Amino acid sequence: MKTREEKIEAVGRVMDVLDRLRVECPWDRKQTNESLRSNTIEEVYELADAIIADDNDNIRKELGDVLLHILFYSKIGEEKGEFDIVDVCDSLNAKLIFRHPHVFGNVVAEDSETVVQNWEALKLKEKGGNKTVLAGVPSSLPALIKAFRVQEKVAHVGFDWEKPSQVWDKVREELSEFESEASVLDADKMEEEMGDVFFAMVNAARLYGINPENALERTNRKFISRFNYLESRVRESGKSLHDMSLAEMDELWNEAKAVERKGEQNA
């Protein structure tokens, strides 16, 4: 276990390297907030991939890349005379203390749900904080994650079903409305109603304690694994996917599922 001093020194070494790169490296010298933004998003997704894979070596590596970007933005802010890494840390520290009155104050919160409810209420009160319940949801979030966060936030102020089972009436209602528009092939209305179906299903996932992003990614990976198996078996047979009938591909798909189940049992 590293000491506190070792941790602080390690971050300081990275800052020293970045300071030198900002002066001596042509690429680092020309970077701006805007030029770094897309790279930052990519780094966070790479971290997410490592977390999903439970790959600790890559989690460590990708955390370093994300940390570099945090320090880089702070360095740019310092050069502009706007803020530096100290300001970033002080702001974060003040926010954590303010939003945890059950730790640093006299508020009682005996479960995580109460903590989250208090957190959202305090965000509306703090200076420079969110002025409305949904103001803190980034507009650039991917739609699935955004739907989940929107629903979480309004639920914390009481805008929610009383029981999870009540959501299924809404799901069925939205499916029915989509089917109605699909019957007349109204493309614009179909898109709108399909969005309502997705939103209702995200709500269902949330109410049953399932993160829809994680659930869908799990299915994505399962599908990719099975299709890769199918494609590999087709190549082994000397054929092309274009030569296969749907029935033949279904047979290999079911074979992939059987192999998958056998692997799970052996594990």
Side-chain angles (χ1 to χ4, degrees):
M1 182 72 70
K2 304 292 194 304
T3 66
R4 185 180 182 85
E5 288 73 20
E6 288 174 319
K7 295 172 185 176
I8 293 172
E9 288 173 4
V11 174
R13 286 195 295 271
V14 176
M15 294 175 65
D16 290 340
V17 169
L18 179 58
D19 286 346
R20 183 171 177 179
L21 291 176
R22 189 65 171 162
V23 174
E24 299 181 25
C25 173
W27 186 90
D28 289 280
R29 189 166 57 237
K30 73 174 187 178
Q31 297 312 303
T32 64
N33 284 339
E34 184 55 34
S35 70
L36 287 172
R37 187 181 67 85
S38 60
N39 289 339
T40 305
I41 295 170
E42 182 179 343
E43 296 297 354
V44 173
Y45 274 113
E46 288 177 359
L47 173 60
D49 282 345
I51 292 170
I52 290 171
D54 196 23
D55 183 341
N56 285 313
D57 283 341
N58 268 324
I59 290 174
R60 171 184 51 76
K61 172 181 172 293
E62 300 303 340
L63 280 171
D65 291 342
V66 172
L67 175 60
L68 172 61
H69 279 245
I70 293 170
L71 294 174
F72 215 139
Y73 289 118
S74 300
K75 179 65 178 176
I76 293 171
E78 181 179 356
E79 291 167 353
K80 291 179 176 179
E82 299 292 339
F83 63 88
D84 59 19
I85 190 63
V86 174
D87 298 315
V88 172
C89 292
D90 285 348
S91 176
L92 173 60
N93 194 51
K95 180 192 296 183
L96 290 173
I97 292 172
F98 179 77
R99 294 189 188 174
H100 291 80
H102 54 288
V103 176
F104 300 101
N106 300 319
V107 173
V108 176
E110 296 181 349
D111 55 65
S112 60
E113 180 61 25
T114 304
V115 172
V116 174
Q117 290 175 353
N118 290 342
W119 180 281
E120 295 296 339
L122 288 164
K123 285 170 71 174
L124 294 173
K125 293 179 180 179
E126 66 187 358
K127 182 179 180 181
N130 299 331
K131 303 305 180 186
T132 65
V133 172
L134 297 179
V137 180
S139 60
S140 58
L141 272 181
L144 183 65
I145 299 174
K146 186 190 292 186
F148 187 67
R149 291 295 292 132
V150 164
Q151 293 167 7
E152 274 191 325
K153 284 181 173 292
V154 299
H156 292 320
V157 295
F159 192 70
D160 204 2
W161 278 278
E162 294 177 354
K163 296 184 296 184
S165 60
Q166 293 172 324
V167 75
W168 297 115
D169 286 338
K170 186 62 175 176
V171 171
R172 283 187 284 268
E173 174 191 329
E174 300 299 353
L175 277 170
S176 176
E177 291 178 2
F178 173 77
E179 289 173 348
S180 177
E181 299 300 341
S183 69
V184 295
L185 297 178
D186 185 326
D188 184 63
K189 286 292 186 180
M190 286 166 60
E191 180 179 283
E192 180 182 345
E193 296 301 340
M194 182 59 78
D196 291 345
V197 171
F198 288 155
F199 198 83
M201 284 304 302
V202 170
N203 246 329
R206 177 186 60 81
L207 288 163
Y208 284 91
I210 297 168
N211 184 302
E213 173 71 17
N214 293 344
L216 184 56
E217 178 58 18
R218 184 174 179 176
T219 297
N220 287 340
R221 288 173 177 264
K222 182 167 56 179
F223 183 94
I224 290 169
S225 175
R226 291 174 182 176
F227 194 85
N228 285 345
Y229 177 92
L230 181 158
E231 192 173 18
S232 175
R233 292 282 283 112
V234 171
R235 282 200 303 267
E236 289 172 4
S237 71
K239 295 183 180 180
S240 157
L241 285 172
H242 297 291
D243 300 327
M244 304 289 288
S245 68
L246 182 57
E248 289 173 318
M249 286 193 282
D250 276 341
E251 184 177 344
L252 289 174
W253 182 267
N254 289 329
E255 183 180 307
K257 290 170 66 175
V259 170
E260 187 179 273
R261 283 194 294 269
K262 186 175 180 180
E264 289 173 352
Q265 290 170 358
N266 291 338

